[in-house]
Amino acid sequence: MSRNPPHTLSRRGFFASTGATALTLASAPVAASVAAGSASDFQYEVQRTVDQWLTQLGEQSYAIMREGLTEAPKSSPLWDETKPGSYHCKGCDLYNYDARLKVVLEKGWVFFEHSQPDSVLTAIDGPVPEYGAMSEDAALTEVHCRRCGSHLGHLLIVAGGMKHCINGASLDFKPAEA
Ligand SMILES: [Zn+2]
């Protein structure tokens, strides 16, 4: 499939703009390794049909969460949101991230220092290297929801540490009660 909604970027565009120059992109198309139904046959707790996902998420979030695309920087208003509150998976409402661990970075995605306990899982996004191999075609560490398997973003070394670099279109923000 070749969805490419106007507000999403290819992985190549994503990397060009993250400044993560130590990582070189593989030319393989995205998404084969994300979302439910990947090679591991892991059964996520929440399962939906394609039609159900499209209805729930809408076209743009579907392309990101179920096909692994990345939104354009600053396309989500959540990138510089600073209010206290919780960030939930748009696919299943699991509490994935908390505003207390959010960091606003000019790169324009939604960054967190850590996820909530038992809320996300990781996978290799890209060609899987041999054990112990060092490669310039380093794969990315992809982050997805523990409960529904939807793609959220990646773990990246940015601003001096490891951050969860998350698409705002994958999250619902719930401001804390005043
Ligand atoms: Zn989820």
Side-chain angles (χ1 to χ4, degrees), residues 2-169:
S2 60
R3 288 164 184 281
N4 202 3
H7 296 299
T8 60
L9 281 181
S10 67
R11 296 172 77 220
R12 190 169 300 278
F14 170 65
F15 276 101
S17 52
T18 55
T21 50
L23 298 169
T24 306
L25 280 181
S27 55
V30 281
S33 64
V34 298
S38 65
S40 68
D41 289 332
F42 184 88
Q43 288 294 307
Y44 293 95
E45 189 180 322
V46 171
Q47 302 275 336
R48 302 187 209 286
T49 65
V50 169
D51 283 348
Q52 288 169 337
W53 280 121
L54 273 168
T55 301
Q56 164 138 1
L57 300 173
E59 284 275 330
Q60 189 193 350
S61 291
Y62 181 91
I64 292 166
M65 299 187 78
R66 306 306 301 174
E67 299 184 327
L69 296 189
T70 296
E71 69 191 14
K74 301 185 181 177
S75 62
S76 164
L78 296 180
W79 83 270
D80 64 350
E81 177 62 67
T82 56
K83 288 196 284 288
S86 52
Y87 291 83
H88 297 246
C89 172
K90 193 170 278 188
C92 73
D93 201 39
L94 184 64
Y95 179 14
N96 292 141
Y97 295 98
D98 191 278
R100 284 171 300 178
L101 293 171
K102 186 175 186 294
V103 262
V104 176
L105 297 173
E106 272 300 316
K107 295 183 185 306
W109 286 280
V110 187
F111 290 92
F112 299 93
E113 299 281 1
H114 288 291
S115 59
Q116 287 301 107
D118 192 27
S119 69
V120 304
L121 296 172
T122 56
I124 301 292
D125 186 1
V128 179
E130 299 277 322
Y131 173 73
M134 299 292 286
S135 167
E136 292 189 0
D137 294 324
L140 280 181
T141 302
E142 183 262 351
V143 183
H144 58 269
C145 175
R146 185 264 297 163
R147 189 155 68 190
C148 73
S150 293
H151 174 70
L152 302 174
H154 294 93
L155 293 180
L156 293 182
I157 297 171
V158 58
M162 184 68 85
K163 304 282 189 290
H164 292 239
C165 175
I166 305 301
N167 295 286

